[in-house]
Amino acid sequence: NMARLRARRRARDQARWAQRRAVQTRVWRRVFEAEHAAVEVWCEEGKAIRTREDVRTRSTKRFEAQWRAYSRDLEEHIRVSERQRDRFYASVDKEGRACWVSSNTAKTYHFHPIDRRVERNLAGERDKAMQRHEAHLEALEAAWAREDEAQAAFMDSA
């Protein structure tokens, strides 16, 4: 009788233990799934941030490369067109300094007028190009902000 009683108690205890373990497993599984989902979202956000930084960096590097090529060609174009006009000739002023004289107006310049024209044109074109590049980056930022808002709205509704 005692052996059967012990066996029944052991079976009952094992059944209770199995039931408790099953309940605890379900609870922990829910907690783990929620934490796992949160970690996945966090990892995706980090990946998105790195991807966005890469896009910004690539865009800026591409802009700089394009600008170098464009400015080199623009400078060459300006110099060639100014040489074809043949508007200035080199001379020496009263104090013996080198100067350039306009063949149209006879005005004297103590700086190279073609260099000055190149500098001004390049500066103006660089400003315009930078404005376009910044507008492009702002458009990217706005698109990313809309994506983030849509994702946040989706996560709130879930």
Side-chain angles (χ1 to χ4, degrees), residues 61-109:
K61 284 181 179 178
R62 186 172 51 238
F63 167 76
E64 291 299 332
Q66 289 172 343
W67 172 252
R68 279 192 302 275
Y70 177 74
S71 65
R72 183 181 57 242
D73 293 343
L74 179 62
E75 180 177 356
E76 182 181 340
H77 169 73
I78 293 169
R79 289 188 186 282
V80 166
S81 65
E82 286 295 320
R83 279 191 212 112
Q84 287 174 353
R85 289 183 186 172
D86 198 27
R87 292 182 7 185
F88 301 97
Y89 60 92
S91 183
V92 178
D93 67 359
K94 295 175 189 175
E95 290 134 18
R97 293 182 298 173
C99 65
W100 287 263
V101 180
S102 169
S103 56
N104 295 343
T105 63
K107 186 172 179 182
T108 303
Y109 298 95

Side-chain angles (χ1 to χ4, degrees), residues 127-143:
D127 288 343
K128 287 187 235 176
M130 283 298 292
Q131 288 173 357
R132 287 192 298 270
H133 178 63
E134 288 168 4
H136 170 70
L137 291 179
E138 288 173 5
L140 284 175
E141 294 289 340

